[in-house]
Amino acid sequence: MKEHKDNSADSKKEKNNTKLKTSSNKEDVSKYTKKIQELELKNQELEDKYLRSEAEIQNAQNRYSKERAQLIKYESQSIAKDILPALDNLERALMVESDSDVTVQLKKGVQMTLDALIKALSDHGISEIKADGEKFDPKLHQAVQTVDAVKDQEPDHVVQVLQKGYLYKDRTLRPAMVVVTK
């Protein structure tokens, strides 16, 4: 009988150990499940940060490419602005009346120089703004005076060009200085 009691006591100890192991295993599983969930959340956050960083890098590259293209497109703008006063002076020189053979020959040389300069500017995307008789456009014209419209003139139209304006590709290099009707 003593043997049976020992077996019964051993059996109770085993059941208690099993219960302890089971409860310990459940605690471990719960702890590991919680840790897995934390790691998955952290992984999602890191993946989100990575994707945002990639998008930011791509946007910066696109912005850089656009800025570079703009710089290349308009690189000659400043030299073109510097040449326009010389162009104006050549045109004024041609307006002077000439009556001697020498001045006629001189005007011919000035005209050839002016034509070559206009062609060179045109080859590089610089064109004159059409202004005379056109509807006033503040992007292209600078009104320096207004006059009353005469019988056949429409209001807000250019009636006189005081200084020619020029476009460089799609930008206004210098607006035309004009007189506009009221």
Side-chain angles (χ1 to χ4, degrees):
M1 211 171 269
K2 195 172 185 182
E3 203 177 284
H4 182 57
K5 280 185 182 180
D6 285 339
N7 280 343
S8 167
D10 284 340
S11 171
K12 281 184 182 179
K13 282 183 184 177
E14 274 184 41
K15 283 183 181 179
N16 282 341
N17 281 343
T18 304
K19 282 183 182 177
L20 284 175
K21 284 182 183 177
T22 305
S23 70
S24 175
N25 283 344
K26 284 182 181 178
E27 288 174 10
D28 287 346
V29 168
S30 174
K31 189 166 58 173
Y32 290 133
T33 303
K34 187 176 180 182
K35 186 68 172 174
I36 288 171
Q37 289 172 344
E38 288 173 5
L39 290 173
E40 285 176 343
L41 182 63
K42 188 171 184 175
N43 186 36
Q44 286 176 344
E45 289 173 0
L46 290 174
E47 187 175 346
D48 184 53
K49 284 182 181 178
Y50 168 76
L51 291 175
R52 288 179 188 274
S53 296
E54 279 290 316
E56 191 172 327
I57 289 169
Q58 186 64 38
N59 289 340
Q61 287 174 338
N62 290 341
R63 226 178 6 260
Y64 171 74
S65 294
K66 285 179 184 177
E67 288 173 2
R68 188 166 181 256
Q70 288 283 18
L71 286 173
I72 290 170
K73 184 176 181 180
Y74 298 112
E75 67 185 339
S76 302
Q77 184 172 346
S78 64
I79 192 166
K81 275 186 174 180
D82 293 343
I83 290 174
L84 292 180
L87 187 71
D88 293 337
N89 289 335
L90 290 173
E91 288 175 343
R92 278 193 280 278
L94 290 172
M95 286 188 237
V96 175
E97 291 295 323
S98 61
D99 49 355
S100 71
D101 289 341
V102 174
T103 55
V104 169
Q105 289 301 318
L106 185 61
K107 274 181 86 170
K108 186 176 179 184
V110 170
Q111 182 65 53
M112 289 171 52
T113 304
L114 178 64
D115 292 343
L117 185 57
I118 290 172
K119 184 183 180 323
L121 292 172
S122 177
D123 290 346
H124 291 278
I126 298 167
S127 59
E128 183 182 329
I129 295 173
K130 303 283 187 247
D132 201 17
E134 299 289 320
K135 181 160 177 55
F136 177 75
D137 181 353
K139 295 176 188 166
L140 302 174
H141 308 122
Q142 179 181 354
V144 292
Q145 184 180 359
T146 57
V147 294
D148 292 326
V150 186
K151 52 187 162 191
D152 63 336
Q153 293 176 333
E154 295 182 47
D156 292 327
H157 277 69
V158 175
V159 291
Q160 184 183 4
V161 177
L162 301 176
Q163 183 182 44
K164 291 181 180 179
Y166 292 90
L167 292 172
Y168 179 57
K169 299 184 182 179
D170 57 350
R171 284 189 179 174
T172 302
L173 191 59
R174 179 178 79 184
M177 288 179 26
V178 297
V179 177
V180 181
T181 56
K182 293 186 205 178

